[in-house]
C-alpha cells in the first residue's frame, strides 16, 4: 500500500492521528522536500514520528519514482507531503504510477494553505483562482499573475498568491557544465512579492493602462501559517514592500470586495487606521 | 484560551495530534453540529478523545456565544469544527467575540473539502469561485450558482459545489406557531444537485439561452471525502442524476478546461468510455 500523507502546516504535531499511525506502520517513509517546508526540519519529524525519513527531492520523485514504489504491493510505503497531498502536480503523477503498477493507495488529508489562509479573516468562498508569483530573473519577468488577480478583483474575489520556492536549483553555469552543485534554497517573501507587483503596476501605469489593482489595494501578508509564530499583516500593497514577516513560508492575499465581517477580521492584523481608506460603497460591501 | 480545532474529514482519527492534545487539556469541549458532519457520531468522538462533548447547534453558537466563551480567559475551552475552523462564517464571528472579550485564541487547522477535493484528480489551482447549491422549495428556486459555474467555465476553471445541509430546521407551520419541533436532518445528494442543475439547463434552453454548462459537461460526484468508504464518480451531468453514492456528505465538481493529467486521474473514477466524448481542442487541453 502507498500512503500519501499530508503533514499539515506548522510542526511535527500537525500530522493527523490517522497519518501518524500509517507512518509508524510503514517499512519506508519518504519526505517530499521541494514543494513546501514546515517550520521544523527532518530530524524533529523523525524524532516525533519515531521513524527514519528518506528525503525525496524533485529528481527522485519525478525521475526515479519506481524506487519509491518498489515492493509497495507487498509492503507499506508512506510518502509525506507538507500541507495536503494534492497541493502539487507531481504527487498526482506518483499516485497514477502506483495505480498503473497495480499498487493500492490511500490518501490521508491535512490542512493546506488553500484552506488555512481563511484564518486571516477573508471568507474562503470569496476567493477566485489561485496564482503563483515566481522569482523574476534578468531576462524572465512574467506578469500573468497580475492579470489573473485583476480578473478576480473585477469579479469581487480575493486572490491567494503562492510565492515561489527554489530548492536544489542549479545556476545556469553549473547546469551547462553538468555540475550537480546546487544554489542555497530561496523562499520568496511577502516583501519581494509586493515589490514585483509594484514594478508591474508602475510599468503599466507608465503605459497609460487602466489598473484593476494598485499600490493602494488592501493586501494580506501571511507567514508560517499554522505555526506557533505565525504572522499576519494587513496593509495597502505599497506598505507590504517594507514589512519583515520573518522566516519562510510566506503567502500573499490580494483582497477583492470586502464584507463588513471580513473588514472586522482584517483589522486584527492591521495597524490602527490602516484600513481607514476603505470606502463603504453600499450597505454591505467595501472596496479598497 | 479558546481553541478552534478542525477535525478534518472522515472519522475520529482525522484530528491532528496537536488538536487532540488541546482537546484533552480543555475544561469544556463543544462540537459544532450544524455546518458539517463526520461519518461517525458524537459518541465515537467522545470515546476516542476521552472527553465529553457539548453539542453546539446554530442557536447556541449564534445567539448564546457568551455561554461558550464563559471563563475562557481563565480556563481552556475547545470548539470543534468538522473540516477546518474557517469553513463557515459563524466560526469567524465566535473568534471576533473572543477577541473583543479579551480572550486569547488559537486555531488548529485541518483538511477541508476545499483542499481534499483535489483527490478526484482536478488540480486545486484550476478551481474558480466555490458555490453553494441550496435545496429548492416550491416557491424559492434560486439559480445564481448556475451562473457562477458558467463564469468559472468560461475562464477554463473548475467549480466546487457545496451541497445544502438542513439540520434542526423547523417547518414553516411549526415556526409560525413558535413550536420548537425540528424536521429530520437533510443532506443534499449528488443526484439531487444534478437534478436541480438539469432543470435549470432545460428551463434556460427552452428560453433559447446559449448555455455554458450542459447535461454533457463532465462532472465529479464526491461522497464522504476522506473517509474509508469515500466514493468518487466521474460522468456527464445527466448520468449523475441516477447515481447513488450512499450516505452524506456529498459534493459536486463541475469541470472546466481539462489538462491531460487531470483526464488521466478522472478516468480512475469514470466508467470505461465515459470520457470518450472529450475532444482535444489543442495540444494540451480538453473540453467537455
Amino acid at each position: 500500500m502507498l500512503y500519501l500523507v499530508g503533514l499539515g502546516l506548522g510542526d511535527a504535531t500537525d500530522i493527523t492521528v490517522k497519518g501518524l499511525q500509517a507512518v509508524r506502520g510503514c517499512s519506508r517513509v519518504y519526505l517530499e522536500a521541494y514543494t513546501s517546508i514546515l517550520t521544523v526540519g527532518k530530524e524533529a519529524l523523525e524524532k516525533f514520528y519515531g521513524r527514519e525519513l528518506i528525503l525525496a527531492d524533485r529528481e527522485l520523485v519525478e525521475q526515479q519514482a519506481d524506487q519509491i514504489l518498489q515492493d509497495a504491493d507487498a509492503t507499506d510505503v508512506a510518502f509525506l507531503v507538507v500541507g495536503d497531498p494534492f497541493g502539487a502536480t507531481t504527487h498526482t503523477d506518483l499516485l497514477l504510477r502506483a495505480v498503473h503498477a497495480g499498487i493500492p493507495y490511500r490518501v490521508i488529508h491535512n490542512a493546506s494553505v488553500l484552506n488555512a489562509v481563511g484564518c486571516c479573516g477573508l471568507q474562503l468562498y470569496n476567493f477566485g483562482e489561485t496564482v503563483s508569483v515566481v522569482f523574476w530573473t534578468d531576462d524572465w519577468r512574467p506578469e500573468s499573475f497580475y492579470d489573473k488577480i485583476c480578473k478576480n478583483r473585477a469579479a469581487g474575489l480575493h486572490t491567494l498568491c503562492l510565492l515561489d520556492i527554489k530548492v536544489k536549483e542549479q545556476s545556469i553555469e553549473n547546469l551547462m557544465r553538468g555540475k550537480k552543485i546546487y544554489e542555497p534554497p530561496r523562499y520568496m517573501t511577502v516583501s519581494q512579492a509586493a515589490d514585483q507587483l509594484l514594478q508591474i503596476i508602475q510599468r503599466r501605469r507608465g503605459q497609460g493602462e487602466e489598473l484593476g489593482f494598485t499600490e493602494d489595494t488592501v493586501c494580506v501578508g501571511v507567514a508560517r501559517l499554522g505555526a506557533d509564530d505565525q504572522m499576519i499583516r494587513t496593509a495597502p500593497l505599497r506598505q507590504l514592500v517594507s514589512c519583515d514577516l520573518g522566516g519562510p513560508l510566506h503567502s500573499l492575499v490580494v483582497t477583492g470586495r470586502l464584507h463588513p465581517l471580513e473588514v472586522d477580521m482584517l483589522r486584527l492584523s492591521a495597524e490602527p487606521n490602516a484600513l481607514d481608506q476603505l470606502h463603504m460603497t453600499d450597505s454591505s460591501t467595501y472596496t479598497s
Side-chain angles (χ1 to χ4, degrees), chain A residues 17 48 50 123 172 176 180 182 189 198 209 211 227 262 269:
Chain A
V17 174
F48 185 74
Q123 295 297 324
I172 303 267
M176 305 263 280
K180 291 204 169 180
Y182 302 101
T189 65
L198 283 180
E209 267 187 51
L211 300 175
E262 294 181 313
S269 57

Side-chain angles (χ1 to χ4, degrees), chain A residues 120-123 125-126 156-158 255-267 275 278-288:
Chain A
C120 73
L122 298 171
Q123 295 297 324
Y125 48 77
N126 292 337
L157 302 171
H158 314 310
T255 62
R257 196 181 305 124
L258 292 168
H259 182 277
L261 184 66
E262 294 181 313
V263 174
D264 287 346
M265 280 291 293
L266 290 184
R267 283 192 205 288
L275 302 185
L278 294 172
H279 321 291
M280 202 185 291
T281 52
D282 63 45
S283 63
S284 69
T285 61
Y286 295 78
T287 55
S288 70

